[in-house]
Amino acid sequence: MYTQPQLNYSFSDLEPHIDARTMEIHYGKHHKTYIDKYNAAVEKYPELAAKSLEEVIANLSAVPEDIRGAVKNNGCQSWNHSFFWTMMKKNGGGEPTGALADAITASFGDFEAFKKKFSDSALAVFGSGWTWLVSNNGKLEILNTSNEATPLTQGMKPIMVLDVWEHAYYLNYQNRRADYIAAWWNVLDWESIARNV
Ligand code: MN
């Protein structure tokens, strides 16, 4: 069974960049529903329910076929959102320091170039998905995934993620995904993100 992690901030702490109502529905309804559905799927297989979420989604071929689709969709979405919440904090923003800053400079030239490349990538997601900064065999890369797909199960180490499903921004930004992406940089918790390197 998987328990939804608590947020380190309140729903209104990310305003005006991410509004409280969006956070309330995103965390309290969307994410909670993925977790509830994941738990409901694994419930009838005690040996599966006893494993960590990461273990289960990393080894989907071992999941019984009758629940594999539900476990994949809801399990990956559960993990992606739990990770996404740790990207942000009250009074966030600015730039990374230390090893993460050095790695970004080495891979992308400078922080502004990285920010533009990541933002352009997020804007280019067609339909529902996620934009990631990952370490792929020690090399930093930006990539997009569709729907529930997660680089965690593709042999890569996720460092940073942005949710670009419409439910993440539609209440406040409607079709203006570019504005949501631009605002998101103002709530980032670089100390938390740096712990993923
Ligand atoms: Mn979402």
Side-chain angles (χ1 to χ4, degrees):
M1 304 300 277
Y2 182 68
T3 307
Q4 187 171 32
Q6 294 295 308
L7 298 175
N8 292 323
Y9 41 84
S10 73
F11 292 149
S12 60
D13 278 346
L14 307 181
E15 294 215 4
H17 309 291
I18 297 178
D19 63 289
R21 182 83 177 126
T22 294
M23 278 303 303
E24 184 186 347
I25 295 171
H26 199 181
Y27 176 87
K29 306 284 185 197
H30 289 283
H31 189 203
K32 184 175 184 301
T33 300
Y34 291 128
I35 292 168
D36 288 348
K37 287 185 173 176
Y38 169 81
N39 286 333
V42 296
E43 199 173 22
K44 63 175 175 169
Y45 295 97
E47 75 284 2
L48 216 55
K51 288 183 178 171
S52 72
L53 172 65
E54 290 84 351
E55 257 184 291
V56 173
I57 61 177
N59 194 11
L60 281 170
S61 59
V63 173
E65 208 173 339
D66 63 321
I67 61 165
R68 194 177 299 154
V71 165
K72 177 172 176 278
N73 291 338
N74 296 295
C76 291
Q77 281 292 81
S78 293
W79 191 87
N80 290 350
H81 282 91
S82 293
F83 189 60
F84 176 59
W85 307 132
T86 69
M87 302 291 109
M88 300 173 284
K89 68 171 185 178
K90 184 181 172 75
N91 300 320
E95 295 185 17
T97 55
L100 176 58
D102 294 344
I104 285 174
T105 301
S107 299
F108 304 103
D110 59 29
F111 179 74
E112 283 308 314
F114 161 69
K115 184 176 174 179
K116 183 176 188 325
K117 191 171 184 195
F118 190 99
S119 298
D120 288 349
S121 190
L123 197 56
V125 170
F126 184 73
S128 297
W130 303 80
T131 297
W132 305 81
L133 175 67
V134 301
S135 174
N136 190 2
N137 291 316
K139 188 175 176 292
L140 291 193
E141 291 175 7
I142 292 167
L143 59 92
N144 293 338
T145 60
S146 291
N147 300 318
E148 85 294 345
T150 181
L152 182 71
T153 60
Q154 298 165 16
M156 290 175 263
K157 189 179 180 190
I159 295 171
M160 181 173 163
V161 69
L162 173 58
D163 187 344
V164 285
W165 282 59
E166 280 188 345
H167 68 224
Y169 61 88
Y170 205 84
L171 281 181
N172 196 31
Y173 293 97
Q174 295 83 47
N175 62 319
R176 293 173 286 114
R177 187 195 290 175
D179 292 350
Y180 160 68
I181 295 167
W184 182 64
W185 297 90
N186 296 306
V187 295
L188 289 185
D189 182 348
W190 285 111
E191 286 176 12
S192 171
I193 295 166
R195 285 196 281 272
N196 302 321
V197 174

